[in-house]
Amino acid sequence: MLSLGQKVAAVLALAVGLCVAATSAASATSGPAQEDPEFTDIIENITVPAGRNVKLSCSVKNLGTYKVAWMHFEQSAILTVHNHVITRNPRISVSHDKHRTWFLHINNVQEEDKGRYMCQINTVQAKTQFGYLHVVVPPNIDDALSSTDVIVREQANVTLTCVATGSPSPSVRWKRDDGNKINLNKSHSVIEYEGEVLELTRISRLDMGAYLCIASNGVPPTVSKRIKVSVDFPPMLWIPHQLVGAPIGFSVTLECFTEAHPTSLNYWTREDGNMIHESAKYHSENTVGPPTYKTHMRLTIHKISERDQGTYKCVAKNPRGETDGNIRLYNPVETKNKGSKYQPPSINEINNFDQKSNSHEAGKGKKQDWLQSENVSASSVPLAAGMGLVGSLLLCLMTVNLTFFNDANLHLRSS
């Protein structure tokens, strides 16, 4: 069984056999013997990006009447023989430098051009040498086999695919366009993920945004594809102040915060359901993001009157659902006037009472201990300033008892 190299040599021998025979015959009948041709240099291995032009060189000496041929070894294809192009490939041509160096030209190199190229001299025993052409291809992302923008419901699973070609085979990595971490699941987050397939488990609104698929293989340029992931969910509302007080004649701003995707239709109504429109009285303003699914709703009411008091409703609707929230606007001055008639003592009144108590205590001088006195009358017991009702009752009862015992002792003595 012949090897591939032997088959190639046989093909070349067949192609140039007539030339060899003619040359041999001429040498036999001519004068002194001609030196055999030899290669004077190796064929350098070349690496070239696809799309460029390349030139392989084969240097010989003593070529005489012999011929030089080029062939693609892996394809077993004869490309040129001497000055003639054999292949039908229009990108192939041949030239020489006074028969000393033979050049094989390949224009607009393609990936299929890579492989071993053989330069052969058609001596009786063919002389050959090889050079390798390595064709590198920048990475390319195959859009037909890769994911496009996706829209999913919240808590669903998402699979993103990015297929890249090139030589050498490119590596694929993923990152978020906004620089945030990629949440692979509820417990595992990464800055970058490597692999053609990116799987996101139980996706949430926090995972919404653009994901970059980046392919590289060391051959510039590196390429990327931007895939937008949209997460749909019904509107949600957050109201920081549900009860807002503002005096008559002043202006006030009511606020609601919404989250929704797709973006919700946001508006304000009164308690009767009538929508509030832009006017000299009302000014509504919606500020989006960040992120884009958040909206800050504001309603400013100018020069509040009594009829402006009551309930206001912020409403958010999108294809996934709707929600609303209430804010009550009231007049704090009016509410105070309608309250209880009881007024707590003022600070001045409390201070005056304390001053009177202190002056009374200072006038008494030495403090008496009425519990240790045997003859205590009601007039001799000082009433402590600020004493409570219970203390006054106890003092009264004890004074009565002491008086009763004194009377009893006098009666016994007299009898």
Side-chain angles (χ1 to χ4, degrees):
M1 179 67 94
L2 295 177
S3 66
L4 180 60
Q6 291 172 330
K7 290 181 180 179
V8 172
V11 172
L12 276 178
L14 180 63
V16 297
L18 293 176
C19 294
V20 172
T23 302
S24 299
S27 299
T29 58
S30 62
Q34 177 184 349
E35 293 185 25
D36 285 343
E38 295 179 1
F39 294 111
T40 61
D41 202 355
I42 63 172
I43 302 175
E44 292 186 358
N45 297 331
I46 297 178
T47 299
V48 61
R52 301 282 184 87
N53 299 333
V54 70
K55 180 173 66 175
L56 301 174
S57 59
C58 179
S59 299
V60 298
K61 69 177 182 178
N62 304 325
L63 184 60
T65 57
Y66 291 98
K67 310 296 182 183
V68 173
W70 282 99
M71 71 169 295
H72 195 297
F73 188 78
E74 277 78 14
Q75 297 178 3
S76 299
I78 300 174
L79 304 177
T80 66
V81 175
H82 213 56
N83 294 321
H84 304 287
V85 177
I86 306 302
T87 180
R88 294 183 179 181
N89 187 340
R91 297 183 292 107
I92 301 294
S93 62
V94 65
S95 66
H96 62 85
D97 177 15
K98 297 180 181 181
H99 296 80
R100 290 193 298 267
T101 303
W102 294 82
F103 301 103
L104 178 68
H105 302 272
I106 308 174
N107 295 328
N108 188 21
V109 172
Q110 303 298 311
E111 188 174 5
E112 60 265 22
D113 295 329
K114 68 181 179 180
R116 284 182 292 175
Y117 285 79
M118 183 171 67
C119 175
Q120 186 178 71
I121 304 173
N122 65 335
T123 52
V124 176
Q125 289 187 345
K127 295 182 178 182
T128 61
Q129 67 173 354
F130 296 89
Y132 193 88
L133 177 63
H134 182 56
V135 181
V136 293
V137 181
N140 178 64
I141 296 175
D142 191 337
D143 287 333
L145 300 177
S146 301
S147 298
T148 56
D149 293 349
V150 295
I151 301 175
V152 296
R153 293 284 190 97
E154 199 164 30
Q155 299 302 312
N157 297 333
V158 178
T159 299
L160 302 180
T161 303
C162 182
V163 177
T165 59
S167 180
S169 297
S171 62
V172 176
R173 56 193 174 92
W174 297 84
K175 63 188 300 184
R176 290 188 61 166
D177 195 20
D178 56 11
N180 291 331
K181 287 186 176 182
I182 298 175
N183 299 315
L184 300 176
N185 51 52
K186 297 302 180 184
S187 60
H188 188 199
S189 300
V190 294
I191 293 294
E192 286 188 1
Y193 179 81
E194 189 166 345
E196 288 189 347
V197 179
L198 174 64
E199 294 186 353
L200 307 176
T201 304
R202 296 177 61 82
I203 196 169
S204 76
R205 66 195 69 182
L206 300 177
D207 303 315
M208 182 159 39
Y211 289 74
L212 296 178
C213 155
I214 304 169
S216 60
N217 65 350
V219 182
T222 296
V223 294
S224 64
K225 179 180 176 66
R226 190 173 186 267
I227 302 173
K228 186 178 180 181
V229 177
S230 299
V231 180
D232 283 1
F233 57 93
M236 297 177 61
L237 274 177
W238 173 60
I239 302 175
H241 306 290
Q242 291 185 296
L243 189 62
V244 177
I248 300 298
F250 285 77
S251 297
V252 69
T253 298
L254 311 181
E255 293 181 300
C256 283
F257 293 87
T258 70
E259 294 186 11
H261 194 273
T263 303
S264 56
L265 172 65
N266 304 315
Y267 59 92
W268 295 85
T269 69
R270 289 301 304 268
E271 50 198 340
D272 56 7
N274 290 329
M275 186 182 296
I276 295 175
H277 299 282
E278 192 78 14
S279 65
K281 169 65 69 173
Y282 300 110
H283 172 66
S284 61
E285 181 181 11
N286 293 334
T287 304
V288 178
T292 55
Y293 59 81
K294 289 187 176 183
T295 302
H296 183 189
M297 299 175 60
R298 285 188 290 264
L299 176 66
T300 301
I301 308 170
H302 298 287
K303 296 181 180 180
I304 298 171
S305 63
E306 289 186 3
R307 65 179 182 177
D308 294 325
Q309 298 176 23
T311 301
Y312 290 79
K313 183 178 293 186
C314 52
V315 183
K317 294 182 178 181
N318 78 353
R320 300 302 182 195
E322 65 178 271
T323 188
D324 57 58
N326 295 330
I327 300 177
R328 182 169 181 79
L329 178 63
Y330 71 98
N331 183 358
V333 177
E334 183 178 315
T335 304
K336 180 178 180 181
N337 292 338
K338 291 181 179 180
S340 172
K341 292 183 179 180
Y342 170 75
Q343 297 293 332
S346 66
I347 297 297
N348 292 333
E349 292 172 340
I350 294 174
N351 290 337
N352 291 337
F353 183 81
D354 289 341
Q355 291 173 1
K356 290 178 182 179
S357 299
N358 292 335
S359 62
H360 180 75
E361 289 291 337
K364 293 299 292 182
K366 184 179 179 180
K367 191 174 180 179
Q368 293 188 6
D369 190 357
W370 56 270
L371 291 176
Q372 296 177 359
S373 176
E374 294 182 358
N375 300 318
V376 181
S377 64
S379 60
S380 65
V381 179
L383 181 61
M387 182 175 291
L389 178 60
V390 176
S392 300
L393 289 174
L394 289 174
L395 182 60
C396 180
L397 289 173
M398 295 179 70
T399 303
V400 171
N401 289 334
L402 288 172
T403 304
F404 173 77
F405 286 125
N406 287 336
D407 293 342
N409 290 333
L410 291 173
H411 178 73
L412 289 174
R413 289 175 182 175
S414 60
S415 60

